[in-house]
Amino acid sequence: ETGVTQSPTHLIKTRGQQVTLRCSSQSGHNTVSWYQQALGQGPQFIFQYYREEENGRGNFPPRFSGLQFPNYSSELNVNALELDDSALYLCASSSDRLYEQYFGPGTRLTVT
Amino acid sequence: QKEVEQNSGPLSVPEGAIASLNCTYSDRVSQSFFWYRQYSGKSPELIMSIYSNGDKEDGRFTAQLNKASQYVSLLIRDSQPSDSATYLCAVFFYNNNDMRFGAGTRLTVKP
């Protein structure tokens, strides 16, 4: 166990809806990164938060947004859900933006 | 060209053999390199990190980095059936503060 937790475990949403996923980082970690992993693919970087600021972003549209709180937990928000958003969403925390990242168990999102 | 490339496999080795996993990456500013193991239905688990050229050993695992050739590899000695998983190579690129993963190599260790 890495100490990184995510909620919920599974989620089913309808196209066009909005969703919020949550992540609690490992104790002592100030950086949280979010990834989307489609079946059979490696994780795709969505964005990273470092000390409550967005610190880097991958090739995802603005309807993917996030927050990091003073306790370094984080949220991923996705608006106007599309069928292709169905995937495993992973968050990972690290003690600094450059160092090893430890993943939570993930949230499986299904969009119908 | 993808930024991080791995042979998708599957790679099959007999129990006790050495498994060799390879990864190449594009020419961007990078410094941090990682290997993750992912069992089916689970999230990735960090097994090795390497930051400078050369070899790094941890138990049965050895990571090798050659920045001039843009190449990083993972060797698993005395492979066990429990090593059967997908192995993901990850590279942290400084210019956008993002971590890029390869698609993974599926390894099967046969008893």
Side-chain angles (χ1 to χ4, degrees):
Chain A
E1 297 295 325
T2 61
V4 181
T5 61
Q6 292 186 244
S7 62
T9 305
H10 297 91
L11 202 53
I12 299 175
K13 289 286 190 178
T14 303
R15 188 171 50 185
Q17 286 187 316
Q18 177 266 342
V19 69
T20 298
L21 309 182
R22 294 179 174 82
C23 171
S24 291
S25 60
Q26 185 171 320
S27 177
H29 286 185
N30 58 20
T31 305
V32 172
S33 302
W34 285 92
Y35 297 87
Q36 180 194 69
Q37 187 175 26
L39 203 59
Q41 300 295 318
Q44 299 295 310
F45 176 72
I46 303 175
F47 42 58
Q48 182 184 78
Y49 278 84
Y50 172 65
R51 295 185 177 179
E52 302 180 60
E53 297 285 332
E54 186 176 295
N55 191 50
R57 189 178 183 93
N59 296 324
F60 280 81
R63 60 190 184 84
F64 286 79
S65 63
L67 282 174
Q68 187 179 33
F69 300 99
N71 66 355
Y72 302 127
S73 65
S74 178
E75 286 183 354
L76 164 65
N77 299 292
V78 187
N79 293 323
L81 284 167
E82 300 176 0
L83 297 179
D84 285 349
D85 295 333
S86 295
L88 179 67
Y89 288 84
L90 297 160
C91 83
S93 75
S94 53
S95 59
D96 191 85
R97 61 191 180 93
L98 306 178
Y99 299 149
E100 292 91 346
Q101 297 185 10
Y102 297 90
F103 283 88
T107 294
R108 174 71 62 184
L109 173 66
T110 302
V111 182
T112 62
Chain B
Q1 181 187 3
K2 293 183 180 178
E3 293 187 290
V4 181
E5 294 205 60
Q6 298 180 250
N7 291 328
S8 60
L11 174 65
S12 181
V13 300
E15 185 175 355
I18 296 175
S20 177
L21 304 161
N22 304 314
C23 174
T24 58
Y25 59 94
S26 62
D27 186 18
R28 287 172 57 192
V29 178
S30 55
Q31 182 161 331
S32 308
F33 305 85
F34 308 92
W35 283 98
Y36 287 83
R37 176 174 63 196
Q38 188 171 26
Y39 293 112
S40 180
K42 300 293 186 181
S43 62
E45 172 193 7
L46 179 69
I47 54 174
M48 288 289 284
S49 61
I50 185 165
Y51 299 94
S52 56
N53 280 327
D55 294 0
K56 179 182 177 183
E57 186 174 319
D58 184 0
R60 296 186 296 112
F61 299 98
T62 299
Q64 300 173 317
L65 175 61
N66 184 326
K67 290 188 178 183
S69 300
Q70 295 166 218
Y71 177 90
V72 58
S73 66
L74 179 71
L75 299 177
I76 306 174
R77 291 181 300 280
D78 187 24
S79 295
Q80 301 296 309
S82 59
D83 294 326
S84 298
T86 295
Y87 288 81
L88 298 163
C89 170
V91 180
F92 185 86
F93 291 103
Y94 273 169
N95 59 335
N96 195 39
N97 287 326
D98 70 84
M99 184 94 92
R100 297 288 174 146
F101 283 79
T105 299
R106 179 175 291 186
L107 172 67
T108 299
V109 180
K110 296 187 175 180

